[in-house]
Amino acid sequence: MRPGADLHRRRLPLRLVLVDAAGAVLAAVGILDLLETGPELLPAAWPQPLAAVSLLVIGCVMMAAVPVWLLRHRRQPPRHRPGA
């Protein structure tokens, strides 16, 4: 088996998947507001370009958690739980 093949067999923690999904939603809302397409998703009281750009940046940072976790755990062998 190739050395990198076991990287694709790792299970991501559920909290990391939820953070990634929330980041994708924030980034999508920011992009849609910047492009001014679809319904108004952000309140009118928020500063117009700054709020959308902030949501986009925060969403991208949140989505970066998965690649960082994969890179940090790539050299460690997978842990096997002992049978009950």
Side-chain angles (χ1 to χ4, degrees):
M1 186 182 311
R2 293 180 299 156
D6 62 336
L7 179 65
H8 299 289
R9 297 185 191 276
R10 290 199 182 266
R11 292 183 53 104
L12 291 174
L14 180 61
R15 61 183 161 78
L16 210 54
V17 173
L18 293 176
V19 167
D20 185 61
V25 168
L26 288 177
V29 168
I31 289 171
L32 288 175
D33 194 62
L34 282 174
L35 295 176
E36 297 177 356
T37 59
E40 278 292 317
L41 299 173
L42 299 179
W46 289 11
Q48 195 56 355
L50 182 64
V53 172
S54 299
L55 286 177
L56 180 60
V57 169
I58 291 169
C60 290
V61 168
M62 288 173 70
M63 288 189 297
V66 172
V68 167
W69 186 87
L70 287 172
L71 287 173
R72 291 186 71 192
H73 290 83
R74 115 184 137 114
R75 298 218 189 265
Q76 297 173 357
R79 296 178 185 165
H80 296 286
R81 295 183 181 173

